[in-house]
Amino acid sequence: MVRYFMVAATMDVINVANAIAPAGQSSIVLVGHSMGGAIAVNASYQIQSLVGLCVIDVVEGTALDALSSMQSILRGRPTHFKSIPHAIQWCYKGGQCHNLEAARVSMPGQIVNVQSGAMACDEWNLFENMNVPDMPHSAESSFRSSNFTIREGVEEVADHDVCGKPPLAEEKTFKVPTTSTGKGDEGSGYTWRIDLSKTETYWKHWFQGLSEKFLGTNVPRILMLANISGLDTKLTVGQMQGKFQLQVLAKTGHAVHEDQPHQVAEILSIYLVKQKCATTKAGFVMPLHPNVCC
């Protein structure tokens, strides 16, 4: 089944897009991150009402180069977590996501209860409603402990940042997570929803030809990267020829949209208005240099 995942996922996007936005009746802008970006690029050729394409932090050359070290990265992850808060803290403290609130949203969807098989995001809502101790209850709450401190962000950013980057959050404290290497307590807690190591055979197929396909689409394109060095040769040439808009977001990791959601939203808003895919509302001000951000 994994062999056909990319084709199936692409067809799902195409079918849904064409169903909800028939040609001539509505418009669609596809936004995809990482492998989702590859799916968006492949789907863009068959969506009748497509007017824009945004790809976030995925480039064919750098993605293929990184595959050789992917198994060691996966082996370095814990295989089990004793609770949802511990999984969230690992996600944040381990650098998978640099935004605590984003980690609270995304991490529960990546793990499942070992015993019931239920997704953690479903149980997370139950725990919040039950006011279970050691669980955060709102976006402002945190995991409390007296012996461990994590500060969101490491560099100061002005409140009036041109890209809409929010000011640094106040210091938050956490309980030190206890994760498992998978020895002895596999029968309880939470584990990964998908075993990515089993999909290794198909990794190259997901990204091969991506740069050429991205440059070949006939709609306005924007590429957001965490690092300018992420461009491969084809995209470097294409960017110099003005074939797409490039935005490099500083102080982010691979999950660009999670690390800096306000900044990504600002860039997308400017892109949509500039390409006449959307109209402005009262209070929206276009920056003097919309193509320059960070």
Side-chain angles (χ1 to χ4, degrees):
M1 295 298 292
V2 177
R3 178 186 299 273
Y4 304 104
F5 170 77
M6 181 62 74
V7 175
T10 300
M11 289 308 303
D12 284 346
V13 173
I14 293 171
N15 291 334
V16 171
N18 288 335
I20 65 176
Q25 298 183 28
S26 188
S27 300
I28 282 184
V29 175
L30 282 184
V31 181
H33 167 254
S34 194
M35 189 172 69
I39 293 173
V41 170
N42 281 282
S44 66
Y45 285 83
Q46 299 184 56
I47 295 179
Q48 303 164 357
S49 56
L50 189 71
V51 296
L53 175 64
C54 173
V55 173
I56 302 178
D57 212 47
V58 59
V59 171
E60 177 185 355
T62 51
L64 292 176
D65 290 343
L67 293 182
S68 59
S69 59
M70 186 57 63
Q71 282 290 3
S72 61
I73 293 175
L74 294 178
R75 285 194 297 269
R77 303 192 308 177
T79 59
H80 290 73
F81 304 93
K82 76 173 188 179
S83 68
I84 299 175
H86 287 81
I88 293 171
Q89 189 192 348
W90 172 85
C91 177
Y92 176 69
K93 185 173 180 288
Q96 182 170 321
C97 178
H98 300 148
N99 182 326
L100 176 60
E101 300 309 326
R104 294 182 69 249
V105 172
S106 65
M107 191 61 188
Q110 301 178 52
I111 57 177
V112 295
N113 187 302
V114 173
Q115 294 182 335
S116 68
M119 290 180 58
C121 55
D122 296 331
E123 296 187 348
W124 180 245
N125 294 331
L126 293 175
F127 287 147
E128 286 190 317
N129 293 334
M130 293 169 59
N131 293 324
V132 175
D134 198 35
M135 295 285 184
H137 303 293
S138 68
E140 291 76 28
S141 63
S142 58
F143 311 120
R144 299 296 178 183
S145 176
S146 59
N147 61 350
F148 197 76
T149 300
I150 297 177
R151 181 182 296 275
E152 283 193 85
V154 294
E155 299 183 51
E156 293 187 358
V157 181
D159 292 0
H160 56 276
D161 189 287
V162 67
C163 294
K165 187 182 299 181
L168 291 177
E170 296 181 358
E171 184 176 278
K172 300 186 177 184
T173 55
F174 299 82
K175 182 174 292 184
V176 180
T178 302
T179 55
S180 167
T181 59
K183 298 178 181 179
D185 57 354
E186 292 91 338
S188 62
Y190 296 83
T191 189
W192 295 101
R193 178 184 176 189
I194 298 174
D195 186 352
L196 292 177
S197 63
K198 294 182 179 179
T199 67
E200 181 178 10
T201 305
Y202 314 102
W203 288 348
K204 287 186 178 180
H205 171 71
W206 292 346
F207 302 107
Q208 284 178 334
L210 180 61
S211 293
E212 186 174 349
K213 292 177 182 177
F214 176 73
L215 294 172
T217 56
N218 59 0
V219 296
R221 301 166 293 267
I222 179 171
L223 175 64
M224 297 189 198
L225 296 178
N227 194 312
I228 187 63
S229 62
L231 284 178
D232 59 16
T233 302
K234 289 182 180 179
L235 290 186
T236 298
V237 173
Q239 197 273 330
M240 294 176 66
Q241 294 174 340
K243 292 185 176 181
F244 64 93
Q245 178 181 338
L246 174 65
Q247 296 283 176
V248 180
L249 290 83
K251 303 165 188 168
T252 64
H254 178 52
V256 175
H257 56 304
E258 295 186 359
D259 292 347
Q260 296 290 355
H262 296 271
Q263 190 173 348
V264 170
E266 182 90 0
I267 293 171
L268 277 175
S269 298
I270 295 170
Y271 163 77
L272 293 173
V273 172
K274 181 181 177 182
Q275 300 299 336
K276 296 181 172 56
C277 300
T279 56
T280 61
K281 289 188 175 182
F284 182 84
V285 179
M286 287 282 287
L288 295 177
H289 304 287
N291 289 327
V292 179
C293 188
C294 302

